[in-house]
Amino acid sequence: MKNAVQVGFWEKLARIILKNRIVILVILSALTIFLGYQWKNLSMTYTEANLLPKDHIVNKQYQQFLDKFGEEGNLVVIGFQDPKFFTPKNYAAWNELMTGLKNSKEVDLVVSLNDLKKLDKDTVNEKFVLTPFIDQKKALDPEYLKKIQYDLFHNLPFYEGLLFNKQSGSIRSAIYINKKLVNTPERKTFILENLVPKIDKFEKTTGVDLKVSGMPYIRTINADNMKGEIGLFIGAALFTVSLIFFFFFRSFRATFISICILVIGVIWSFGTLGLFHYKITILTAIIPPLIIVIGITNCIFLINKYQQEIKLHNNQAKALQRIISKIGVSTLMTNLTTAIGFATFMITGNDLLFEFGLVTSINVISVYLLTLLIVPIVYSFMSVPGEKHLYHLTKTYISTLLDFVENVVKNKRKVIYTIYGLLLVFSVIGVSQMKVSGSLIGEMPKSASFYKDILFYEKEFNGVMPLEIMINTKHKKGVMKLSTMKKMDELQNTIAELPELSKPVSIVNLVKYSKQAFYNGNPEYYQLPTSQEQTFILSYAKNATKNSKDNLMKSYVDSTGQYARITTFMKDIGTQEMARVEKKLRSKIAEIFPEDRYEVTLTGKALVFQKGTSYLVDNLIESLIFAILVIAGLMLYLFRSFKMVMASVITNVLPLCITSGLMGYFGIPLKPSTILVFSIAFGISVDNAIQFMAKYKHDLIQSNGKVKKSVFSALRETGISTFYTSVVLILGFATFTLSSFSGTIALGGLISCTLAFAMFANLLVLPALVLTFEKKKAKKEDLENLEG
């Protein structure tokens, strides 16, 4: 009775669609125009991804830090390593560059060689005064510039690690962008239209190769690269799937219909992003090409079924009705499982993945509806397909493939299971070698010039990813106590000894420099004052920091003097190494700062990302398990057979295991971009299993319960679509490897790999398992056939 109701519903739906063709096309056109209009709300993201939920303790601590000291990721560094720099011509060009940046309204502070300040002692007024390190009037004298070079590297330890590397001779300047503009479009305008042209001009004038880095710069250039790749992805995906589709069907009109559906799907996907006012991120940027690759499979199933029906009885009206009533329910289930694969990302607690999961799952269903409506409606206006359009159904290679599959399933099931078992063992060994990793810049294009600049700063200044330590002394002006300074200095010495971290900067550096200045600039006195020296040296220092525009240390102590900040930068190391560094720092902090007197927080973008990666990997594994259970539940509802569900799940879990094993063998780490593969791939690969099971169940009813006959008839009919869709999906996802982003390359490559294994699993393992699970019925049939 239930089946009759279901069939009745889909047949009724088919009649409604075909009777109201014009109305439906008008509605679809209006929706497309409306969603196309929503493109006006699209814009690129201006912040890096936060992988943790907002209420996570690490995020709360980071927010507390920002509340005290403001945005930390506002530093852009410009550096070089060139012994020929200290010439009048090159210095003049550098002075012009830095002065131009300093005068930009987007810049708060520039710390650079050309206007570097040094502390001098004013004995008359008993204070330190900030005086220019370079006399600009003498800057045309080559001998004077040589002297400046010597003084910088030998007499100013305060700036060592901050502005220069004494061993290699590298020099850099620090550009602090207005904190209010760091996460706005103004940052992009400043970087691309102000900073980059000025740097290009300097390089052309001097021939000195400048290295530019810092999170604002990296994020801007990265977003610009990502924006350029969106068109590439869409074009490559559309071209690839259309070409393969035409190769299989050899029909211009079938290909044209499919392309139109995919283009509308792209418009809808961008429109959905605009409708929700979501930003374009590294993940949401791949939604349109995803919809193209997934959407073409619906076209293949419906058009292939339509042509099979035409070949069978040459009745167009009957064929159009059947592709809706027969394929509609199975393709609905396949698209639901794919949508569920994406929707599980919504339960991770991460905003970025929530947006990606929501928009993708909505559009997977949308492109299904588009195909279900447009294919039969458009074909209803066309003539019946001729022999040339149906020729592919009898192609030799397809028949040969299906004959081979049928023979193996019928006679060599033990071989299939042996190979399955060996692959499973192979996978388990590989999985045991997998590592969890991730870094803030690890997903960025390795070929980009800014990535090479990052490597320069890692080598010369130990990285560009900020790591912050906030110290709460629990008393106003507690930071300026000598005991606190000594504790901070001890912690800074530990940081300086870690090769993964750069030389730390804090108020301690300024106090040390104050003592050096008190002793007439002698670098041997670059150290904390003694208890006897403390009073008069710190009183001198207070007067040296009144001019806030020139005060480099103004951001390292809050206005009450209760909170201090130690800033260091971290190399691009994996999450496991970062965890080791964090453990060592926390151990030292616990040793130095008693909990009853101090509250010390370890935070910063580098730490937040490391915690986010670990959190995300754990949650995405949970979401994968959830996806498998939900999809299994849907299949159980559809087929009402636990055996059929088990056969489908076992078949499609194997490809995931093989991919995991390959990741372990090839050293591909488990990170946000690679863990996404599994939920997406499972949701897609199980589609072929559902198509097979739906046809098998239908044929089982038609043949009065004959298992073998139903298995092989289902294999014959769905095998063509399984092969076609798998090839299209594999090559479609392979277009993602055209990206310059390693995460996108991994996503595309690994999904293609998984789907390749899934194709053979669904063609061989699935029908073999059904026959094994129904062994008693199959034997009974064989006996009946012998008796007959």
Side-chain angles (χ1 to χ4, degrees):
M1 181 67 187
K2 188 176 186 298
N3 289 332
V5 172
Q6 284 184 336
V7 171
F9 168 79
W10 287 98
E11 287 179 344
K12 187 176 181 182
L13 181 65
R15 288 196 294 271
I16 292 171
I17 291 171
L18 295 170
K19 279 184 180 179
N20 299 279
R21 299 177 298 176
I22 303 298
V23 174
I24 290 170
L25 289 176
V26 170
I27 291 170
L28 291 178
S29 299
L31 274 172
T32 304
I33 292 168
F34 169 74
L35 289 170
Y37 182 69
Q38 300 306 312
W39 283 33
K40 64 183 175 62
N41 299 321
L42 291 174
S43 62
M44 302 299 293
T45 183
Y46 295 103
T47 59
E48 66 274 324
N50 189 332
L51 304 179
L52 291 169
K54 289 179 181 177
D55 59 353
H56 194 280
I57 183 64
V58 174
N59 260 344
K60 287 182 177 179
Q61 290 175 341
Y62 183 55
Q63 191 56 52
Q64 287 169 2
F65 169 82
L66 295 180
D67 292 341
K68 287 293 176 187
F69 295 103
E71 173 62 44
E72 53 149 356
N74 65 326
L75 173 65
V76 173
V77 287
I78 304 173
F80 56 87
Q81 186 181 22
D82 194 325
K84 298 176 184 177
F85 172 78
F86 285 93
T87 64
K89 179 189 173 184
N90 290 348
Y91 176 78
W94 181 259
N95 189 34
E96 181 186 348
L97 170 63
M98 290 299 129
T99 303
L101 292 174
K102 187 176 182 180
N103 293 333
S104 301
K105 68 179 188 301
E106 297 90 351
V107 174
D108 267 353
L109 177 67
V110 174
V111 183
S112 178
L113 176 66
N114 63 302
D115 65 349
L116 202 61
K117 300 295 188 295
K118 62 177 182 176
L119 281 180
D120 284 331
K121 183 172 63 171
D122 181 351
T123 54
V124 177
N125 297 307
E126 295 188 346
K127 68 176 184 178
F128 295 124
V129 290
L130 288 167
T131 60
F133 175 60
I134 297 176
D135 184 347
Q136 302 298 338
K137 294 176 182 178
K138 298 179 182 179
L140 295 175
D141 182 0
E143 293 302 318
Y144 175 74
L145 290 178
K146 285 183 181 178
K147 179 180 179 300
I148 286 298
Q149 182 179 10
Y150 179 85
D151 287 345
L152 176 68
F153 288 114
H154 295 88
N155 295 328
L156 291 176
F158 172 74
Y159 291 109
E160 185 178 353
L162 182 65
L163 293 186
F164 66 87
N165 182 324
K166 187 175 180 179
Q167 280 72 38
S168 68
S170 297
I171 295 174
R172 68 177 178 180
S173 62
I175 318 296
Y176 292 89
I177 296 176
N178 187 326
K179 293 177 180 179
K180 294 178 181 177
L181 305 180
V182 170
N183 295 319
T184 68
E186 282 85 349
R187 183 201 77 210
K188 174 191 170 187
T189 304
F190 167 71
I191 297 289
L192 297 180
E193 298 179 15
N194 189 343
L195 179 68
V196 172
K198 282 183 169 66
I199 288 169
D200 290 342
K201 181 183 176 183
F202 173 87
E203 290 181 331
K204 286 177 183 177
T205 302
T206 63
V208 175
D209 179 25
L210 292 184
K211 309 292 184 182
V212 189
S213 197
M215 294 314 297
Y217 178 80
I218 292 170
R219 282 156 49 191
T220 302
I221 304 299
N222 204 39
D224 203 49
N225 289 346
M226 183 172 66
K227 186 177 180 182
E229 287 197 353
I230 294 174
L232 171 68
F233 280 155
I234 293 172
L238 199 58
F239 175 77
T240 303
V241 299
S242 301
L243 190 67
I244 301 166
F245 185 94
F246 179 76
F247 175 77
F248 285 149
F249 285 88
R250 301 297 170 94
S251 168
F252 283 107
R253 67 180 186 180
T255 306
F256 179 73
I257 293 167
S258 301
I259 290 173
C260 289
I261 291 170
L262 299 179
V263 169
I264 295 170
V266 169
I267 294 171
W268 283 28
S269 60
F270 275 129
T272 311
L273 283 170
L275 186 65
F276 291 140
H277 292 269
Y278 289 160
K279 301 288 184 183
I280 296 177
T281 64
I282 187 70
L283 275 181
T284 55
I286 65 172
I287 292 176
L290 270 175
I291 295 304
I292 289 173
V293 175
I294 293 168
I296 196 69
T297 60
N298 294 320
C299 298
I300 289 172
F301 277 122
L302 265 72
I303 292 173
N304 189 60
K305 177 64 177 175
Y306 173 66
Q307 293 181 350
Q308 284 178 337
E309 289 290 330
I310 291 294
K311 187 181 180 184
L312 188 66
H313 49 68
N314 204 37
N315 185 326
Q316 187 183 43
K318 188 177 180 181
L320 291 172
Q321 191 172 50
R322 280 195 172 181
I323 64 172
I324 299 171
S325 60
K326 301 292 183 186
I327 298 295
V329 64
S330 59
T331 49
L332 172 62
M333 287 302 299
T334 60
N335 281 274
L336 274 176
T337 56
T338 302
I340 288 167
F342 287 107
T344 52
F345 297 140
M346 296 167 63
I347 65 171
T348 59
N350 174 263
D351 289 345
L352 187 70
L353 283 174
F354 178 88
E355 293 173 7
F356 174 69
L358 176 64
V359 174
T360 310
S361 55
I362 288 173
N363 281 279
V364 165
I365 300 301
S366 297
V367 80
Y368 158 73
L369 293 173
L370 281 170
T371 312
L372 188 68
L373 295 171
I374 291 175
V375 167
I377 287 174
V378 172
Y379 267 116
S380 71
F381 289 107
M382 294 180 171
S383 59
V384 176
E387 280 298 317
K388 64 178 182 178
H389 299 125
L390 307 178
Y391 173 72
H392 72 96
L393 296 173
T394 56
K395 279 182 182 174
T396 308
Y397 71 88
I398 289 292
S399 299
T400 304
L401 174 66
L402 293 177
D403 288 342
F404 169 76
V405 169
E406 187 173 326
N407 178 55
V408 172
V409 171
K410 191 179 288 184
N411 303 311
K412 298 179 180 179
R413 289 201 291 277
K414 287 183 179 178
V415 175
I416 293 174
Y417 298 147
T418 302
I419 294 172
Y420 186 108
L422 290 173
L423 285 173
L424 203 58
V425 172
F426 166 85
S427 303
V428 170
I429 295 170
V431 169
S432 67
Q433 298 175 31
M434 283 180 71
K435 293 180 180 178
V436 177
S437 184
S439 69
L440 202 55
I441 57 178
E443 304 285 356
M444 296 177 183
K446 303 292 187 292
S447 58
S449 59
F450 74 80
Y451 191 84
K452 295 170 185 174
D453 291 352
I454 290 171
L455 299 181
F456 169 82
Y457 283 103
E458 287 203 344
K459 179 185 175 185
E460 300 296 326
F461 297 96
N462 281 23
V464 293
M465 296 189 298
L467 182 67
E468 303 281 355
I469 300 169
M470 185 170 69
I471 300 162
N472 177 7
T473 62
K474 299 185 179 180
H475 295 95
K476 287 186 178 181
K477 299 183 180 179
V479 173
M480 300 309 292
K481 289 183 177 180
L482 188 60
S483 58
T484 301
M485 294 276 185
K486 286 181 177 178
K487 291 179 184 298
M488 290 175 65
D489 190 37
E490 187 178 349
L491 179 57
Q492 288 189 202
N493 289 335
T494 299
I495 293 171
E497 289 171 2
L498 292 172
E500 299 88 354
L501 301 178
S502 69
K503 181 182 176 183
V505 181
S506 75
I507 189 65
V508 170
N509 300 64
L510 179 61
V511 174
K512 287 182 177 182
Y513 191 23
S514 300
K515 180 172 177 177
Q516 179 188 350
F518 186 80
Y519 288 100
N520 301 315
N522 188 340
E524 292 182 5
Y525 287 94
Y526 183 73
Q527 56 189 239
L528 284 175
T530 62
S531 54
Q532 290 82 7
E533 297 166 328
Q534 177 187 7
T535 305
F536 54 86
I537 287 179
L538 291 184
S539 67
Y540 269 63
K542 287 176 184 177
N543 294 317
T545 59
K546 286 182 179 177
N547 186 347
S548 61
K549 186 66 179 176
D550 293 327
N551 178 14
L552 177 63
M553 291 291 105
K554 65 177 181 177
S555 296
Y556 290 88
V557 180
D558 79 320
S559 57
T560 66
Q562 180 175 329
Y563 291 86
R565 163 191 183 184
I566 300 174
T567 298
T568 182
F569 293 91
M570 182 177 276
K571 288 183 178 181
D572 180 30
I573 55 178
T575 49
Q576 289 181 330
E577 283 298 301
M578 289 174 76
R580 185 186 61 77
V581 170
E582 181 196 354
K583 184 178 179 181
K584 191 164 186 177
L585 286 176
R586 289 194 186 279
S587 175
K588 192 66 178 178
I589 288 167
E591 178 188 324
I592 298 172
F593 295 94
E595 285 187 11
D596 59 326
R597 293 169 53 200
Y598 298 93
E599 183 182 341
V600 183
T601 304
L602 199 60
T603 185
K605 290 191 192 306
L607 186 75
V608 171
F609 185 85
Q610 181 248 322
K611 296 292 185 184
T613 298
S614 301
Y615 172 87
L616 199 57
V617 167
D618 291 342
N619 277 267
L620 285 172
I621 290 171
E622 289 176 11
S623 74
L624 171 61
I625 295 169
F626 181 72
I628 292 172
L629 292 175
V630 171
I631 290 170
L634 274 174
M635 293 174 72
L636 187 62
Y637 170 78
L638 180 67
F639 301 125
R640 293 292 195 272
S641 168
F642 183 74
K643 289 179 180 179
M644 292 171 75
V645 173
M646 284 301 296
S648 300
V649 172
I650 291 170
T651 299
N652 287 284
V653 164
L654 175 65
L656 302 184
C657 295
I658 294 172
T659 302
S660 302
L662 290 174
M663 286 172 65
Y665 286 118
F666 289 107
I668 301 171
L670 203 60
K671 53 185 178 178
S673 58
T674 54
I675 194 70
L676 289 174
V677 168
F678 301 104
S679 293
I680 295 173
F682 183 79
I684 295 172
S685 66
V686 80
D687 292 354
N688 289 322
I690 290 174
Q691 291 286 356
F692 172 83
M693 287 301 193
K695 178 62 180 167
Y696 166 69
K697 184 182 178 184
H698 174 268
D699 289 356
L700 201 63
I701 295 168
Q702 297 294 317
S703 64
N704 295 317
K706 291 183 178 179
V707 174
K708 278 192 172 182
K709 182 181 178 182
S710 301
V711 165
F712 293 118
S713 66
L715 186 59
R716 280 279 166 186
E717 182 167 324
T718 63
I720 297 173
S721 294
T722 296
F723 178 73
Y724 284 177
T725 56
S726 296
V727 171
V728 169
L729 284 167
I730 290 163
L731 295 178
F733 277 106
T735 60
F736 285 22
T737 59
L738 296 173
S739 174
S740 57
F741 293 88
S742 60
T744 309
I745 293 170
L747 183 71
L750 290 171
I751 289 179
S752 293
C753 178
T754 308
L755 294 178
F757 287 117
M759 175 177 70
F760 292 106
N762 281 305
L763 285 173
L764 293 167
V765 179
L766 181 58
L769 283 173
V770 173
L771 288 173
T772 300
F773 287 163
E774 301 291 356
K775 200 172 184 179
K776 289 183 179 179
K777 288 183 180 178
K779 278 187 176 181
K780 188 178 178 183
E781 287 173 25
D782 290 339
L783 288 172
E784 288 174 356
N785 290 333
L786 287 172
E787 289 171 5

